[in-house]
Amino acid sequence: MNNTILEIKNLKTYFHTEEGTVRAVDDVSFSIKDGEILGLVGESGCGKSVTSLSIMGLVPVPPGKIEGGQILFEGKDLLKMSEKELQKIRGDEITMIFQEPMTALNPVSRIGDQIAEVLEFHTDLDKKKRWEKAVEMIKLVGIPEPEKRARSYPHEMSGGMRQRIIIAMALIQNPSLLIADEPTTALDVTIQAQILDLIKKLNNQFHSAVLLITHDLSVIAENADRVVVMYAGKLVESADVKTLFNNPKHPYTKGLLKSIPILGKPDKKLHIIRGTVPNLIDLPPGCPFFNRCTEAMEKCENELPEIISLDNDGHLVRCHLYRQEHTT
Amino acid sequence: MIHYIIRRTIYLIPILLGAAMIFFLIFNVVGGQDRYLYNMLPKKVRTADQIEVYRHKYGLDKPLVAQYLDYVKQMVTFNFGKSESRKLPVTRLIKRMVPVSAALTFPAFTMEIIISLVLAALCAFFRGRFIDKLLTILSVIGMSISMLVLIMVGQYFLSYRLHLFPISGWQRGIYAVRYLMLPWLLWVTVSVGYDIRFFRTALLEEVHKDYIRTARAKGLNETTIMFRHVLKNAMIPILTYVVIQIPFLLTGSIMLERFFSIPGIGSLMVTAIFNYDLPVLKAIVMVYTLFFVVFSLLTDILYAFVDPRIRLS
Amino acid sequence: MLEKTVSTSYREGKSPFTLSMLRLWRNRLAMAALLVVILYILLALMGELNIFHIKDMASNNNFDLRYMKPFTHIEHLFGTDNFGRDVLSRAIMGTKISLFLGFVSGLLMIPIAIFFGSLSGYYSGWFDDVAMYIMSVIVAIPGMLIILSLIQVAGRSFFIIAFAFAVTGWVGLARVIRGSFMQAKEFEYVLAAKNLGAGDFRIIFRHILPNVFHFIIVRFVLNFVGVIKSEVFLAYVGLSIIGVPTWGTMLDDSKLELMSGNWQNLIAATLFMFLFLVSLNIFGDALRDSLDPKLKNVV
């Protein structure tokens, strides 16, 4: 149960644009264990989506390029695999759910065909069996009248339904890792909860590990086992959910947690993290959070802090504040 | 669907009336009728009395409105009378020349579309690579050469010097192919440049859409993505582009027909304009407009066929 | 607490148009093409001002020097034609006509297209019905038939020809503008402007029209390509402007001269036209790509 299924080591994914090099993911390392839900949090543009695309091998090249690091999936480096080998893994062992269900399905092809297509490439089932399995899967993700729905087109469905279809597509081959990139951002609040419940339920049922990417801390609090916090392309803190929410260390994480509204305390003023995310093209040499940090010290401006391990349970933080404790 | 087709067919009537009106205005108001009469008549009858006789014969002494209505009547009955310069019933002329033009344009157009579709798919598949860049450069060059230059150079070298094709001329039946080979070749050369670029853009616009990323995430290989997903979606603009050009095929290619002495609608049209042969022009306008409207309707129906999101209503 | 507004990575905001122009500026091929176009304009000016006697050499007959072969005499680089006129000078004078035709037909066409496109897209209703009707009628007649007939009945003068191109050319642009207006009038920024009390006139001209500007400018550039090619066609059927050298008439003249081995007209007109059209095509494409970033990253 506790085997590491995916391990990312020092991943660097850069985008070489006309304006300069964007270090979308810069030296990020974390791992996902079998069957767990790992939350990846951060503001938009902090590199969470690029991380997931890097795992899938779907970073658009050019302008994007993976400049270094390793992505070990069951011990094998995905970055060293050929496109053919990757195609075997994609959709079969690693699958993905996207943020925008409205555009993520092929508009001119039937739902059932689009789901069955996964089986065409990853199994030897004949056409009829594939269709039957697709229908079964549509039923499993909670869509009524699956036979009829399989024959309909994406535009005949709501966003929530489409997202369920994409989940069906992602889970039909019982993957070891499911990447859910902001799966609920584009949906109504009521649907959001349903979709997350579905993901959680299927995570139990299929024992797939889930990399849940979101900017919404409440989604993480409810669903994830462990959390990785990213800021400006860098990992700033990582811990299990309880530790992170009870005992955040990095000033950014603290700020994030303080900015969640608490039900029943309407008069409590919400915390604001002042300032804006620095431009990823010419990052200052020091801590990327320096210009917004309330606890910034002198050396933060010019010296990028190392990642420090705070305890034996994998609570990591990238901040100068904790350097002393660590070394002594 | 049936409703839609009926409504669109009825809409044909005002379009035809409008086309006739524009045409009527150009020749009868902009140009002036005297000029028209003068140019139309054979030299020996260009005397004042004769002109008056002809003015009455063609109904040009009636008020303009009545004349326009006459034109409409001709359209309804499809009886445009006799061509003044060729002394033949217009309907017979048109019937004889449409197949000639079609023999020139349809095979050429089919070849053009097939070739450019294949090349554009190559470009889109190997986008950014050598073959894509080469074809892009070649199509810009193709778009920048005048057809007249190509015709002259092609005829000079391929026919006159190398004797690969007859210089010009026409024969009925299957022998026509001999005379059509070079015009076909020139037609394709001139048009593939535009097509490749259009098709390439249509394909590449799909390549960057979200659902293609989903297809990749499903583990599909690039060939399947290209043919099953990209091409199927790009078919929508491509079909429109192709079908909407079909009516133009009917009027033939004025340049090719005149240069190679192919007796088609294109060369008929030009001579008719020069001779003020209005009966012929009226018929051409009507046939073309009919064709155009029918084919735009066909495009819409095809659209609904390819794209499930569209419901005709 | 550190009270210091650090703005290390703050960059001065640039308007989308400035960014587009920057992109265009960085595109070397496009800049080279633009340079060629500018050279052509200068050349046409030189011809018009009769510098180096270009205008005289293009029109003065000199029967002692008929059919001089190209590249044999330095004073007549491209040779001379049937009447002993310098072919190079004639090609330069042809540049002026081509530029002018493209320019004038573009200038005539754009206001018509903006008028019909923007009003019918913005108001829908009866105006839209009427405009759509006019447009469908014009496209339903073969364009060349309208152009040829107009020139035939109204005369082979410069303005008639430019007008004929404009009459058939505006429909495509008007449709694009109409489509953009129909979309744009639902956009939030337009609704916001409405809420702030902006009048229709202001919304059309200040808020929506700038967003379709790129269609117009690209169309204007590529209109030259269409017009120059059509002029050749007109010359071929004998309906180009009378009495002045144009690339089309030069090509048409060469039609009869080829068999006797006289290539000078063909070579000069083809070279002039080809280089100009390639430059226009390249520049027009680059302009579209830089103004419409949606397609920019299509690799």
Side-chain angles (χ1 to χ4, degrees), chain A residues 56 58 87 90-91 98 103-108 114 117-118 120-122 153 155 169, chain B residues 210-211 213-214 216-222 224 228-229 232-233 236 306-309:
Chain A
M56 293 295 283
L58 293 178
Q87 276 165 9
R90 287 202 287 255
F98 297 98
T103 51
L105 291 168
N106 185 341
V108 301
Q114 293 193 49
E117 200 173 32
V118 180
E120 187 185 334
F121 283 84
H122 298 296
Y153 289 95
H155 73 276
M169 227 180 248
Chain B
D210 280 358
Y211 70 87
R213 192 179 56 184
T214 311
R216 291 216 176 89
K218 287 198 285 191
L220 271 55
N221 56 49
E222 287 298 312
T224 315
R228 204 182 288 173
H229 292 267
K232 206 171 166 187
N233 276 278
I236 297 164
V306 186
D307 191 342
R309 284 165 296 185

Side-chain angles (χ1 to χ4, degrees), chain A residues 197-209:
Chain A
D197 279 350
L198 180 67
I199 292 177
K200 208 165 180 188
K201 184 186 125 200
L202 295 173
N203 159 255
N204 281 332
Q205 196 173 333
F206 288 83
H207 300 293
S208 303

Side-chain angles (χ1 to χ4, degrees), chain C:
Chain C
M1 204 147 129
L2 205 74
E3 271 299 319
K4 197 171 142 198
T5 41
V6 188
S7 57
T8 41
S9 55
Y10 178 76
R11 296 186 154 204
E12 178 137 8
K14 292 193 182 88
S15 79
F17 185 75
T18 323
L19 282 174
S20 300
M21 289 303 109
L22 263 175
R23 269 199 291 271
L24 195 62
W25 176 249
R26 284 202 206 102
N27 186 340
R28 288 210 192 131
L29 188 62
M31 282 300 116
L34 181 63
L35 191 70
V36 173
V37 173
I38 292 171
L39 279 178
Y40 268 86
I41 295 173
L42 291 178
L43 216 53
L45 266 174
M46 273 169 61
E48 187 53 34
L49 298 174
N50 204 4
I51 295 171
F52 301 130
H53 304 291
I54 290 172
K55 204 172 184 175
D56 299 339
M57 293 210 303
S59 45
N60 292 352
N61 297 349
N62 184 350
F63 290 100
D64 300 332
L65 289 173
R66 291 180 64 194
Y67 287 136
M68 208 180 246
K69 293 268 184 263
F71 313 121
T72 52
H73 294 76
I74 193 73
E75 65 274 28
H76 297 292
L77 195 60
F78 281 89
T80 56
D81 71 355
N82 192 11
F83 298 97
R85 299 172 297 199
D86 181 50
V87 171
L88 177 61
S89 308
R90 288 179 71 77
I92 293 175
M93 294 310 285
T95 308
K96 186 195 84 180
I97 299 291
S98 299
L99 281 171
F100 242 63
L101 265 185
F103 189 73
V104 174
S105 63
L107 278 196
L108 286 173
M109 174 177 87
I110 285 168
I112 311 177
I114 290 178
F115 176 77
F116 279 99
S118 57
L119 291 185
S120 75
Y122 188 74
Y123 287 115
S124 21
W126 68 266
F127 185 87
D128 187 33
D129 292 341
V130 172
M132 279 307 276
Y133 173 67
I134 296 174
M135 291 192 236
S136 2
V137 169
I138 289 179
V139 292
I141 313 176
M144 256 309 149
L145 182 67
I146 301 186
I147 294 175
L148 294 179
S149 311
L150 261 178
I151 298 171
Q152 169 75 353
V153 300
R156 293 161 57 184
S157 77
F158 175 82
F159 277 100
I160 300 287
I161 294 178
F163 176 76
F165 286 136
V167 163
T168 47
W170 66 274
V171 176
L173 183 58
R175 287 194 162 174
V176 175
I177 295 178
R178 175 178 177 268
S180 313
F181 264 75
M182 282 170 75
Q183 275 182 348
K185 72 176 174 188
E186 306 293 333
F187 285 163
E188 274 81 358
Y189 77 94
V190 171
L191 298 178
K194 254 186 198 166
N195 282 344
L196 289 171
D200 285 355
F201 187 82
R202 192 184 163 80
I203 289 175
I204 289 176
F205 283 94
R206 291 294 296 276
H207 292 284
I208 308 185
L209 205 55
N211 291 299
V212 300
F213 175 71
H214 64 279
F215 291 123
I216 298 172
I217 182 103
V218 170
R219 185 60 226 274
F220 184 75
V221 171
L222 295 182
N223 179 49
F224 280 86
V225 178
V227 165
I228 288 167
K229 284 183 151 187
S230 303
E231 192 275 320
V232 174
F233 180 81
L234 290 182
Y236 173 64
V237 297
L239 283 177
S240 191
I241 310 164
I242 310 177
V244 289
T246 70
W247 293 341
T249 36
M250 287 174 72
L251 285 179
D252 191 49
D253 288 346
S254 68
K255 179 176 74 184
L256 299 170
E257 298 167 357
L258 283 193
M259 301 299 164
S260 55
N262 285 302
W263 291 79
Q264 44 271 52
N265 265 322
L266 182 76
I267 291 176
T270 305
L271 275 181
F272 262 74
M273 218 167 94
F274 178 71
L275 188 59
F276 192 46
L277 292 187
V278 164
S279 306
L280 279 174
N281 273 324
I282 290 173
F283 180 68
D285 282 352
L287 193 64
R288 170 173 34 216
D289 291 349
S290 65
L291 287 169
D292 190 359
K294 182 173 66 98
L295 287 171
K296 174 61 195 145
N297 287 327
V298 173
V299 185

Side-chain angles (χ1 to χ4, degrees), chain B residues 14 143-144 146 197 259 274 288, chain C residues 133 140 142 229 237 273 281 285:
Chain B
M143 282 161 64
S144 308
S146 164
R197 286 169 52 85
F259 214 98
F274 272 104
Y288 179 85
Chain C
Y133 173 67
K229 284 183 151 187
V237 297
M273 218 167 94
N281 273 324
D285 282 352

